[in-house]
Amino acid sequence: MSVDRATDVRPPVMLSFDDGPRSGSTEAVLDVLARRGAGLGHPDEPLRAAFFTLARNPHRWLARRLLFAPYEWWTEKGSLEDYPVVARRIVADGHWLGNHGAEHFWPRWPWFRRERRVLAELTEWQRVADSVVPGWRVQPVRLARAPYLIRTPGWRAACKLAGLVDVGGVTSGDADPRAGCDEVASTLLARLGRQHEGDGAASRPVLLIFHDIRELTADCLDCWLDAIVAAGYPLVDFDPDRL
């Protein structure tokens, strides 16, 4: 039985990155995106992505434990305060800057369930971003992504009050500390396949979530993007109007 390739339209793929910025790994990711832009026919512009950043990452272990999920030991996040030069490059290169919270808080902690407490996190991120990267204000919309993708009622209400577009996405698998380059490639292609099966030939892009603070992502992103394109999914610039 033959397959009609004309009807097998794969959705385009947009890229996003969480938990940064961080010196070294984020810059390597930005370099990859710059090369990808040239490959798409606009040599002076990158493949545009969205970077959902943190305002700060506490340096003390106990402070991190009171913030992060109880199961998480991967605590070396990035931040606007620690890496302002990298943050400014994200915006200067033409990418979107998004609000991932002042810190990477676990939304299910009792003290983060209240709308007022979440709103304080979102507005503190904005205060730091205004100080560190004032150029981000030129963006036509303001973006936010919930830590751990946990969109509690308090999170949704706080985003609405702050005038933020609440952005989800499909995780790539690069956050798994046990996974290598090949394992992540298999995971993200499988997840893209499920999205394709669910939407059929829909033209709405799939937004993938990576983590620019991971050395694995910095080292393997080029290979993963090659695999995505080879599987028939075109890469496109991040555009919140297409979400």
Side-chain angles (χ1 to χ4, degrees):
M1 180 179 178
S2 63
V3 176
D4 185 356
R5 296 290 181 186
T7 63
D8 186 25
V9 179
R10 304 296 174 102
V13 170
M14 298 190 299
L15 308 180
S16 64
F17 299 86
D18 284 5
D19 295 359
R22 194 174 183 186
S23 182
S25 56
T26 301
E27 292 160 317
V29 166
L30 291 169
D31 290 343
V32 171
L33 297 175
R35 293 195 298 271
R36 289 286 166 171
L40 291 179
H42 36 91
D44 297 326
E45 299 177 354
L47 170 63
R48 289 190 175 87
F51 287 79
F52 291 89
T53 62
L54 302 170
R56 65 177 61 90
N57 188 46
H59 294 163
R60 293 186 177 182
W61 181 89
L62 181 58
R64 294 178 181 183
R65 289 275 36 98
L66 293 174
L67 281 170
F68 300 155
Y71 60 79
E72 182 177 23
W73 296 94
W74 176 23
T75 61
E76 292 299 327
K77 314 283 186 187
S79 76
L80 299 175
E81 286 188 342
D82 287 340
Y83 304 105
V85 174
V86 184
R88 288 192 282 271
R89 181 184 166 186
I90 291 172
V91 173
D93 280 8
H95 301 290
W96 292 75
L97 197 70
N99 189 333
H100 204 38
E103 297 100 357
H104 200 275
F105 65 94
W106 174 239
R108 292 199 172 115
W109 288 129
W111 48 93
F112 283 116
R113 290 182 181 176
R114 295 180 180 178
E115 170 191 311
R116 183 175 60 183
R117 184 67 182 83
V118 177
L119 183 60
E121 280 281 319
L122 295 173
T123 54
E124 174 62 8
W125 179 93
Q126 183 170 295
R127 184 194 69 77
V128 173
D130 285 343
S131 173
V132 173
V133 200
W136 82 277
R137 285 282 189 169
V138 303
Q139 295 176 185
V141 298
R142 299 177 187 176
L143 310 171
R145 174 176 284 153
Y148 306 97
L149 289 179
I150 298 175
R151 298 150 110 176
T152 62
W155 169 267
R156 294 181 186 276
C159 283
K160 186 175 181 179
L161 284 172
L164 298 170
V165 176
D166 183 11
V167 179
V170 177
T171 56
S172 64
D174 73 333
D176 184 347
R178 300 162 298 180
C181 193
D182 292 342
E183 289 82 4
V184 173
S186 297
T187 296
L188 69 88
L189 289 177
R191 291 176 179 175
L192 282 174
R194 287 195 289 273
Q195 292 289 315
H196 176 48
E197 291 169 3
D199 292 341
S203 60
R204 178 180 295 178
V206 176
L207 179 60
L208 283 178
I209 302 171
F210 297 94
H211 294 79
D212 53 302
I213 63 172
R214 293 217 66 197
E215 294 297 331
L216 176 73
T217 301
D219 293 340
C220 299
L221 183 61
D222 241 342
C223 295
W224 295 338
L225 298 184
D226 283 341
I228 290 169
V229 173
Y233 300 93
L235 297 173
V236 297
D237 287 331
F238 177 84
D239 181 354
D241 290 336
R242 298 185 67 185
L243 293 173

